[in-house]
Amino acid sequence: MTAELIRGQNHPLPDTRLEIRVSAPTPLVAGATLNDEQWRMRDASWIAHPASPQLPGLEVSRQAAAAHRLAVDLGALPEAVHRVNVLLSLPTVPGSPPSFGSLAAPFVAVTGLDGAEIASYTITDLAAESAVVAIELYRRQDAWKVRAVGQGYAGGLAAMLHDQGLPQAQELAATINDAVASGMARSIAPPPSSGERDRTRHTAPVGGGTGADTAAASPSGASGASGSPATGGRINYQHPRRAAAPPPPPSAPPPPPGAPSGAPPNGQPSPAPGAAPQPVAGDASGWSMEERLYNQVWGMFEDLARSGAAYRSAVAFADSRLDQELDRLLSDPRTRVGPTAEAARAEARARHGQLADQARAVFDRDLAQLVAEIEVVEPALPPALARWDSAAWRTYEVPREAPMALRLGDLSLPEHAPGLRIPMLVRLPLHRGLWIDSGRHGGRSVESALIDSDELRRLAAETATALAARLVAVHPVDAFTVHVIDPAGSAARSLAPLVESGALREPPAAGAAGVSEVLARLTQRVDLVQMAVRSGAGDALPPDLDTAEQLLIVHDFPHGFDDRSVTQLRYLADEGPSVGVHLMMVADREDASAYGPILDPLWRALLRVTPVPDDHLADPWVGHAWTYEPPLPPPGDAVLAWVLRQHAAARLP
């Protein structure tokens, strides 16, 4: 999951070779300065800019543009460098906006070389500034981190460079602006847009907050050099990724003469004043529709987390205020009893109810917007991200390439509207194995407590089958291989769709001998691929080695396992994902309690999901306990078996 940073927040960087992507609604100048351990720029050679775009370990764009890609290799920077500042400024050419205040918020993302976003930051709250330090990459105890800065300068590029400690700031700023103006004069105007949304993430304040909103959150961080420090204010419930309204298509005719600004053409009715914009599927950043939908879903998740946190905080504020007022009444003998006391207590409770009702009204409004958005997004999701009852599965075709993500189920909060379920998406290939918990312990609902143990085990096996079927179906033919260990054969009925369709190339392994044989084969595969990767000898792998992604489903662990098999299983959980061997365990932890703490690393290495709705998933961002629902097909629906047969038929010569 991408870390969405706010001003002042930092995030660790997993690698030293990075790409920094910048997008804005108008051409910007992008550059980067280097700082030493005192966070000062030593001289003009420590800045990469359009007139001098390359430094050791750093390269920036040669001219102003609405989208930039800055290449960074932190390991190649000079040893004395402890910080890299990414700078953005508006070009000083005719027609360029004078400040950021009139523009949609620029967006900055730090990505790996594979394009996966590590952290992102939407630079909000800019006004008269024409230059800004967007983010900084800094070294802390031999580890690199990224911090969202957002420090703006009304004095432009020269003021920003002077603040970096450069004596010749004015001269260098003039050199940069001249190079940018010369480059823009030589550039060719881009063709009109073909209708694809730009990658700028917009922000729009949402009004109507309660009196407790300011107590719920207080953004903080570096203040602009030309403005006052950031202070707490009303919570913005809207995710930075959300656009205020979709842009009109390029071919849309101009509004009729005399029509007010923003009026829809062709006599279409105007939305009511203050009405929320109509949601649009794919209303997020991304290079493809799949990536935009993926980012939009995560944006909805974060919207809901923010709204839920604000609502809970507002209610807690109202409760605390009521307690304080009642305590004051009780502490004063004159207001402790009598008609005056009763009236004062009634007034305090009325204020409490008013605050709680206002908070609920704001929360209900946000829920209604999210419900409207999910109703638009769900039908547009591709099979890998869609529910089993989606039309995407009814028109299924075997894909030609693997998807970027997979739906593992749905997430909800107790305060949700009944129809609001946010898809739980994980990136592919899987970086962690899955543990489908077939036991009773945990925080399950009262309804699930009524299910007996045998039924829980059956549902867990069906959940494993549904997830495995989804993984097989969203990969190209022969790109994903499934192995099953079922020592006692107790999951035969649940595994039938995989077996009967031919998705399993071999029957489920049974008994201790079958367990040992499968584990030995997959362990050997991990060893061989790891050695080939480390030595750069990929062509030396055995010709009969299956190079497809591998999934091992282990049912009823630890039945049929000895100490050696347990050790091999732990090895696969730790080392397998890096070389394409993934683990899915269907197990009750209590059944393996005899192993004691030896298996603790195994359970921690796996992502725990449940076969029934359960509130065990917690996000560290706001501390919500999310209710997880498994991705099972509707009862009696044969879509899963049909999809597997379609996939198997495509494999036949």
Side-chain angles (χ1 to χ4, degrees), residues 493-559:
R493 182 175 178 182
S494 300
L495 295 170
L498 294 173
V499 176
E500 295 172 358
S501 65
L504 290 183
R505 301 185 184 182
E506 55 190 23
V515 171
S516 299
E517 192 274 332
V518 172
L519 290 175
R521 180 157 30 99
L522 289 177
T523 301
Q524 183 185 37
R525 183 190 186 281
V526 171
D527 290 339
L528 289 173
V529 176
Q530 281 187 338
M531 287 188 293
V533 170
R534 291 169 183 168
S535 61
D539 54 351
L541 289 170
D544 58 344
L545 183 76
D546 185 3
T547 58
E549 295 280 315
Q550 309 286 310
L551 174 67
L552 172 61
I553 303 176
V554 178
H555 188 267
D556 254 358
F557 177 81
H559 300 298

Side-chain angles (χ1 to χ4, degrees), residues 558-569:
H559 300 298
F561 281 73
D562 55 20
D563 291 345
R564 176 179 174 81
S565 299
V566 170
T567 301
Q568 290 175 321
L569 191 68

Side-chain angles (χ1 to χ4, degrees), residues 271 334 350 357 450 527:
R334 294 171 298 177
D357 290 344
L450 301 176
D527 290 339

Side-chain angles (χ1 to χ4, degrees), residues 9 62 77 157 225 242 247 304 333 348 354 382 424 450 455 497 501 507 537 539 550:
Q9 189 177 7
R62 294 180 178 271
L77 294 173
L157 189 59
R242 230 41 111 241
L304 186 55
Q354 182 180 12
M424 178 182 174
L450 301 176
E455 180 66 7
S501 65
D539 54 351
Q550 309 286 310

